[in-house]
Amino acid sequence: MLTIYCLLIMLHSDLDKGEGTVKYTLSGDGAGTVFTIDETTGDIHAIRSLDREEKPFYTLRAQAVDIETRKPLEPESEFIIKVQDINDNEPKFLDGPYVASVPEMSPVGAYVLQVKATDADDPTYGNSARVVYSILQGQPYFSIDPKTGVIRTALPNMDREVKEQYQVLIQAKDMGGQLGGLAGTTIVNITLTDVNDNPPRFPKSIFHLKVPESSPIGSAIGRIRAVDPDFGKNAEIEYNIVPGDGGNLFDIVTDEDTQEGIIKLKKPLDFETKKAYTFKVEASNLHLDHRFHSAGPFKDTATVKISVLDVDEPPVFSKPLYTMEVYEDTPVGTIIGAVTAQDLDVGSSAVRYFIDWKSDGDSYFTIDGTEGTIATNELLDRESTAQYNFSIIASKVSNPLLTSKINILINVLDVNEFPPEISVPYETAVCENAKPGQIIQVVSAADRDLSPAGQQFSFRLSPEAAIKPNFTVHDFRNNTAGIETRRNGYSRRQQELYFLPVVIEDSSYPVQSSTNTMTIRVCRCDSDGTILSCNVEAIFLPVGLSTGALIAILLCIVILLAIVVLYVALRRQRKKDTLMTSKEDIRDNVIHYDDEGGGEEDTQAFDIGALRNPKVIEENKIRRDIKPDSLCFPRQRPHVEDNTDIRDFIHQRLQENDADPAAPPYDSLATYAYEGNGSVAESLSSIDSLTTEADQDYDYLTDWGPRFKVLADMFGEEESHNPDNVT
């Protein structure tokens, strides 16, 4: 830091005669704030202290101007003021404090960490920024390179188990470490990391454990521990039982959290058999470091002595499972076996036996509570239940709560009580062209009794069938027999079925036998012996047609008949639909005709007599505007007087139609051609006219009034032009 109290620069223009007509001005970096100029003399002064680390140089511009006109007298001059550095900044550790680690037992010179200090002074000017490193605290364990700042170990075999943490004070001094230089410090925390340089050690050579003889298999009976001063995975210990006395009864595993050895029971203990066990346990590291093998084996051994404690135990059966056999015809109360249980404790107690009742099947047997003998309680049937499985419980008389349970398996032996029978099939076939001595069927036997190994069945004909037999039975001596023909050909027309009684005997005691009847059907076969037909009806069918062909022919006939019936039904349905459309499905009862008819002479389509003559309407007629299928009852019409008005006539017909019970339930249109009476022109019909035009006299048209004047004139003119009418 430089503080300026004196003149820095003196400016002077050649045009300045000292008469006060020239004025000096200053502009640029720091003008007016850091630097100022005397307007009269041109002297430049620094008005505050300068710091090179803040700004190393300043660029300024100065000019001389006329004080009156304010015009420049000379061109503007530019100059640079450079700040010269001094040692005013100490070195600083920007990344401090530091944390480092190094493995224990490292050799001298092992790399730990590199530190670095920064000096803000100008490194190009003098020794202000030249830094030298040194250790103020941490010797003689560590050293530092003065130029690079690399920290290394200075002592060999530093042991983490002795001291784990080290704090080192590092100094950085500028001016090359010379007197008067500025210095900065930082702290480096160094930790020694663990290596596996220590084997596990048991704190004592003998461990004593006690375990009750009733301890279950797999239970933990005790813990032992070896101490390893190492840390982490280097302190992981594996325990093993050294083979020896009792070692096969126990096992040991490592507790991963506490690194203890947990001793577990592999087999049951018995105080009455053995009261103590002794074996050795070995503890070793899982992760070894080859650099320390020379230090000796990384394992230790200790002796474990286990004392078995006596416990009041339940009785013990002599066998793990009892299997007994009994014949199914054994009388009730017969002893079939016995179970035995003993109290092995000191001062043994008597034992009581009873059956663990869980099902109705347990009631077939009883047990003597003192002797343990088992006897039948009901008659047994092997075909119903071939095996019984139940449990027997033994308890100590001195302590009934201590019980043991054992399973009893009783097999019911078979007694030969059922005769053998022929296995299916009971029916077979023989070809008409069969030869004598031909085997047509092989049969076997089945016995509902439990057949013992090696039991044999024998087959033969019954005595009544052995006289002139058509078939015989050939025993193959392997529990099967063949049905053998004795005739040269068979005829279905003579006899279609044969019944063959076969006698089967077993070899058990007592011997059981049965007679089984086989049905033999005579069939037609081809030359290879393949059966073609066994039905009686097939005898009368043509030989050239097979059963399949006949079925196909019948099927075709049935299909043709179905097509014909379907066609006729469709035709009838179509005709019926047409009739219903034309007659039944009448919407407004309006009948349309497409022909013009034959005029007044066509009286077949509709009877118009009733329209001409009102007297005819009294006759009872059937309505023609409804379906004529059902018969309509005649209705009584009142007599219509002559000369009635047409309105009365139509009204009367309307009432008749409304009262008609046979009228359709929808609107109908009834048309009446009655002209009525009282017309001046009378009837205009030509039916009653003269037969020839010559007989016609049209003079009466003039009497009909003005409405018929044109008609009268027309017919009058025709009469005047007719030469036949000239008189």
Side-chain angles (χ1 to χ4, degrees), residues 284-330:
S284 60
N285 284 134
L286 287 175
H287 307 282
L288 300 179
D289 194 331
H290 62 87
R291 296 177 298 173
F292 305 102
H293 284 176
S294 59
F298 277 72
K299 59 184 178 179
D300 195 14
T301 304
T303 301
V304 177
K305 291 186 177 182
I306 296 179
S307 299
V308 181
L309 302 179
D310 187 24
V311 176
D312 194 8
E313 297 176 301
V316 178
F317 284 95
S318 59
K319 294 181 181 180
L321 175 67
Y322 287 86
T323 302
M324 303 177 186
E325 295 179 347
V326 58
Y327 282 99
E328 59 181 337
D329 59 351
T330 300

Side-chain angles (χ1 to χ4, degrees), residues 12 86 97 222 243 324 351 385 396 398 407 490 603 639 722:
H12 184 74
I86 61 173
M324 303 177 186
V351 177
T385 305
K396 297 175 65 171
S398 60
N407 287 333
Y490 299 85
T603 61
H639 179 72
N722 192 348

